[in-house]
Amino acid sequence: MAHLELTAEEPPCAEDGVWLTCIECSETFAPFDDVRYTCDDCDGLLEVRYADLPTWDDFEGDGVWRYDAALPTRSGVSLPEGSTPLHDVDRLEDEIGVDRLRVKHEGMNPTGSFKDRGMTLGVRVAQRVGVDRLACASTGNTSAALAAYGARGGMETLVLLPAGKVAAGKVAQASLHGARILEVDGNFDTCLDIVQDLAMRGEAYLLNSLNPFRLEGQKTIGLEIMEQFHEEEGTYPDRIVLPVGNAGNTSALYKCFRELVKSGAIEESDVPKLTGIQAAGAAPMVEAIEHGWEETERWEDVETRATAIRIGNPVNAPKALPGIRATGGTAAAVSDEEITRAQRDLAGEGVGVEPASAASIAGLRKLRNEGVVDSDEEVVCLTTGHLLKDPEAAAEAGEDPEPVPGHTEGVLEHLEAN
Ligand SMILES: *Cc1c(COP(=O)(O)O)cnc(C)c1O
Ligand SMILES: [Zn+2]
């Protein structure tokens, strides 16, 4: 894992052994003094760095804050989040044909997606840097999480959503938790351009995954998977398959593994292969991996029923592409039909997920069929959001209700006749 080498020498700007480093030019910055999302010198992405990295013995308690020794603050604005289940899915494991398949269901977080893990930390840092208005662009789940965590922290929240392209459950959450919702005439990438401008002008604190602190919270997905899997299976997973939108999670998992190797908690050979899945209608990361590009090319027209990953310009690509490559992983695109099938299959094992989440299973099935994934692999698929996030998509993928008369005889007749 040669890329993005972690360095441990603490620069003078560090606070409590924590600082920010530009991944492009290695310039360092104080973590909590000013509001800053990218490098002052070259506009590169920033990464949180630590003087000391913890090992397994340093973790205690539950949820995201079990891992406070690996995070830049010791507590957060919490609901609380994390400690999500790592399900067995025996029928899918047999059918797809891998040695072991577990599903890490991030839909079981407080607002129903993994975004909560980043927000508990991001909102705390916002308080620490002294801003009181929080903002994000969102395909839905970030806005739901920001609204809830902002409310919890007693702060004002502003969310920009692509008009008509956000699932009903997510808008309802943002609305009831009290966010000011701006419906933008444009796609997610346009919303992000605008909210970045607003943040640069000092109008609000940006809580998209461009914010390096959010990714630190999301890093705990990797820590939980490694701990849970090891405890229950006695090994570490060979591969982690996840849906990719802005590639924040992919970047966060890669950082998690680099830190675990650096601290000696795991061997380099224990690092799972990061395998990113996109919808065929929004697959700039897959394109970049296939062509060996350093960066993604922006897709202007994106479409998929997996609205959470309907993104044409993944901001974290410069962090995530090296992660996929360095871990020996890959990226693949799946059709909306394949996503729907996987959503049904997961539901058939009792695991209810939104369409974007099912992309991980759809992608694993495809890569297994193509022989990219071996039959002897132990795999964890990440499911990122809950079924109820997108009730319309769930109802469309499921069976229609059957009308029956309002008496028992009529119901019995119907059951026998159909
Ligand atoms: C945000 C989100 C994603 C995409 O995650 P990235 O970190 O942006 O790649 C995938 N699925 C769901 C349900 C999400 O809410
Ligand atoms: Zn720089």
Side-chain angles (χ1 to χ4, degrees):
M1 294 195 290
H3 281 276
L4 305 174
E5 201 61 61
L6 298 168
T7 54
E9 308 105 67
E10 186 172 345
C13 65
E15 246 178 89
D16 308 332
V18 176
W19 66 97
L20 295 167
T21 294
C22 170
I23 67 161
E24 304 294 344
C25 76
S26 301
E27 184 62 81
T28 56
F29 302 96
F32 311 118
D33 277 5
D34 301 312
V35 175
R36 171 183 293 109
Y37 312 101
T38 53
C39 176
D40 292 7
D41 294 351
C42 77
D43 217 29
L45 296 174
L46 300 176
E47 212 171 53
V48 179
R49 295 285 167 90
Y50 303 89
D52 298 307
L53 292 171
T55 60
W56 299 122
D57 296 339
D58 297 310
F59 303 138
E60 60 178 355
D62 294 310
V64 164
W65 295 101
R66 169 178 176 75
Y67 303 104
D68 63 353
L71 300 175
T73 67
R74 288 287 153 148
S75 63
V77 174
S78 184
L79 281 169
E81 48 294 309
S83 287
T84 55
L86 188 64
H87 292 299
D88 284 309
V89 283
D90 293 340
R91 289 186 292 272
L92 265 170
E93 179 181 282
D94 281 351
E95 184 251 312
I96 292 177
V98 287
D99 199 39
R100 201 79 185 93
L101 176 58
R102 307 287 301 258
V103 171
K104 178 72 168 164
H105 192 14
E106 285 294 300
M108 300 306 287
N109 275 294
T111 78
S113 86
F114 72 82
K115 301 296 196 302
D116 297 345
R117 292 182 187 262
M119 285 306 168
T120 180
L121 189 62
V123 174
R124 167 64 85 241
V125 172
Q127 292 176 332
R128 185 142 174 198
V129 299
V131 292
D132 45 24
R133 189 202 244 174
L134 312 174
C136 70
S138 179
T139 58
N141 283 329
T142 303
S143 70
L146 180 68
Y149 283 82
R152 189 78 177 166
M155 298 158 93
E156 194 187 333
T157 54
L158 182 65
V159 307
L160 281 77
L161 306 178
K165 296 293 181 185
V166 178
K170 306 174 188 182
V171 185
Q173 287 178 294
S175 162
L176 189 60
H177 286 301
R180 194 152 168 203
I181 304 174
L182 306 184
E183 277 194 328
V184 176
D185 177 18
N187 60 24
F188 167 83
D189 303 294
T190 312
C191 296
L192 185 59
D193 290 344
I194 296 171
V195 84
Q196 265 182 263
D197 277 343
L198 292 177
M200 296 309 165
R201 293 178 196 195
E203 293 291 333
Y205 186 70
L206 181 71
L207 276 166
N208 280 96
S209 56
L210 189 65
N211 184 314
F213 296 107
R214 242 194 66 189
L215 298 188
E216 292 303 291
Q218 289 172 210
K219 208 172 70 177
T220 63
I221 300 173
L223 291 164
E224 261 181 37
I225 289 176
M226 295 300 265
E227 273 203 309
Q228 283 174 310
F229 199 92
H230 195 265
E231 204 179 295
E232 293 170 26
E233 309 282 350
T235 56
Y236 294 111
D238 298 308
R239 186 183 296 273
I240 295 179
V241 186
L242 74 163
V244 175
N246 268 313
N249 256 347
T250 316
S251 311
L253 287 169
Y254 179 43
K255 185 159 190 284
C256 168
F257 300 140
R258 279 187 293 142
E259 290 181 352
L260 287 174
V261 170
K262 180 93 183 173
S263 76
I266 61 170
E267 302 290 325
E268 190 150 338
S269 57
D270 293 327
V271 172
K273 297 178 167 72
L274 281 173
T275 303
I277 309 300
Q278 295 196 295
M285 286 283 292
V286 178
E287 181 181 53
I289 288 289
E290 278 173 2
H291 290 85
W293 296 341
E294 295 285 306
E295 285 172 42
T296 47
E297 211 161 82
R298 182 174 178 139
W299 287 28
E300 292 299 339
D301 296 310
V302 283
E303 203 49 86
T304 168
R305 75 187 277 276
T307 50
I309 52 172
R310 187 175 170 273
I311 291 170
N313 189 31
V315 288
N316 286 300
K319 289 179 174 175
L321 290 170
I324 290 174
R325 293 189 176 116
T327 59
T330 188
V334 290
S335 69
D336 279 10
E337 292 70 32
E338 290 168 315
I339 288 173
T340 304
R341 178 182 168 199
Q343 192 188 14
R344 284 196 195 106
D345 291 344
L346 280 165
E349 301 238 28
V351 182
V353 308
E354 68 169 287
S357 306
S360 59
I361 289 287
L364 175 65
R365 176 184 275 134
K366 180 172 180 177
L367 291 170
R368 179 70 198 95
N369 286 342
E370 290 172 352
V372 176
V373 173
D374 285 332
S375 59
D376 65 357
E377 286 192 32
E378 300 190 310
V379 182
V380 173
C381 280
L382 198 66
T383 55
T384 40
H386 197 277
L387 178 152
L388 291 173
K389 288 285 193 174
D390 193 343
E392 264 174 53
E396 268 171 38
E399 298 294 335
D400 289 336
E402 303 163 44
V404 291
H407 49 84
T408 309
E409 286 309 314
V411 170
L412 281 171
E413 262 172 46
H414 176 87
L415 287 174
E416 273 158 27
N418 293 276

